[in-house]
Amino acid sequence: MTAFYTEGQSDPTVQPVPASVVEQVDAADTTLSNPKRAVISLGSNLGNRLETLQGAIDALEDTPGVRVKAVSPVYETEPWGVEPGSQPAYYNAVVLLKTTLPPSSLLERAHAVEEAFHRVRDEHWGPRTIDVDIVAYADAVSDDPVLTLPHPRAHQRAFVLAPWYDVDPEAQLPGRGPVGQLLEAVTRDGIVPRADLELRLPE
């Protein structure tokens, strides 16, 4: 899945990645034995949101057994499940990984990244410095309450589907179908692409 890394894309919101960087990322895959593909959703609505998202991406890349393969454009999103205007807007993005970690270990790492950025879980749907959610892991489907795969609400969330579609237009959400079709079925109200903001692949 390297087609969406090439130069000359028509979508101005998708930031092209230099071929040299793609080659470095692909070369790094030789350190991973039989990696699985994982999709991570990131969100932040407190503090320096863009810096926090980039820090989370860098922390994921620093994880043994994880390689960040693609980073989506940034979207600005109204908070989900709360009164409009009661919280700051989110910056959201999606990251594609290849990993040799099992889902449980990837979840532990996601929680560790949240804790590193002082994520507080004292309020349901509350504001947070960083949200790191596993959206999908290979083709896994599981109703384990600790880690439900794919994410049980991903198919309803434009702030997950839109950036995911941007970096992988052929993506499939296990058990739900093509991400592009799912995106067409939900409203884009409340999410705005921020072409002026950019997240980078870790070097």
Side-chain angles (χ1 to χ4, degrees):
M1 298 298 294
T2 57
F4 43 84
Y5 298 134
T6 56
E7 299 284 354
Q9 289 140 321
S10 58
D11 185 348
T13 67
V14 179
Q15 304 292 340
V17 178
S20 61
V21 175
V22 175
E23 289 169 6
Q24 290 172 11
V25 173
D26 287 341
D29 271 351
T30 61
T31 66
L32 300 182
S33 175
N34 191 29
K36 304 297 184 184
R37 189 175 178 84
V39 181
I40 303 290
S41 173
L42 303 175
S44 173
N45 76 333
L46 291 178
N48 188 325
R49 296 166 291 177
L50 189 68
E51 185 177 286
T52 298
L53 292 183
Q54 186 65 58
I57 292 166
D58 294 343
L60 289 168
E61 174 67 16
D62 287 342
T63 305
V66 171
R67 290 288 178 269
V68 176
K69 297 294 293 182
V71 180
S72 79
V74 177
Y75 281 77
E76 187 167 358
T77 307
E78 289 301 313
W80 173 276
V82 299
E83 189 71 23
S86 64
Q87 292 182 22
Y90 276 86
Y91 286 173
N92 288 100
V94 161
V95 180
L96 306 186
L97 307 177
K98 286 192 174 179
T99 182
T100 55
L101 299 179
S104 58
S105 296
L106 190 59
L107 180 64
E108 289 176 5
R109 182 56 176 163
H111 287 168
V113 172
E114 290 180 340
E115 290 169 10
F117 287 93
H118 310 294
R119 160 73 189 270
V120 177
R121 296 176 178 271
D122 58 1
E123 180 185 350
H124 192 51
W125 305 123
R128 65 283 310 264
T129 51
I130 187 68
D131 224 353
V132 182
D133 287 330
I134 300 175
V135 176
Y137 181 97
D139 295 323
V141 177
S142 168
D143 59 3
D144 185 333
V146 176
L147 177 58
T148 303
L149 290 171
H151 191 287
R153 291 176 293 279
H155 66 287
Q156 302 169 329
R157 294 179 167 179
F159 64 82
V160 172
L161 298 172
W164 187 3
Y165 180 79
D166 285 344
V167 289
D168 190 357
E170 304 301 318
Q172 300 263 342
L173 183 64
R176 295 286 183 179
V179 168
Q181 290 183 15
L182 296 171
L183 181 57
E184 289 177 1
V186 300
T187 177
R188 283 181 179 250
D189 291 348
I191 72 162
V192 178
R194 290 292 303 268
D196 57 316
L197 303 176
E198 183 179 0
L199 296 166
R200 65 184 184 278
L201 270 173
E203 295 183 2

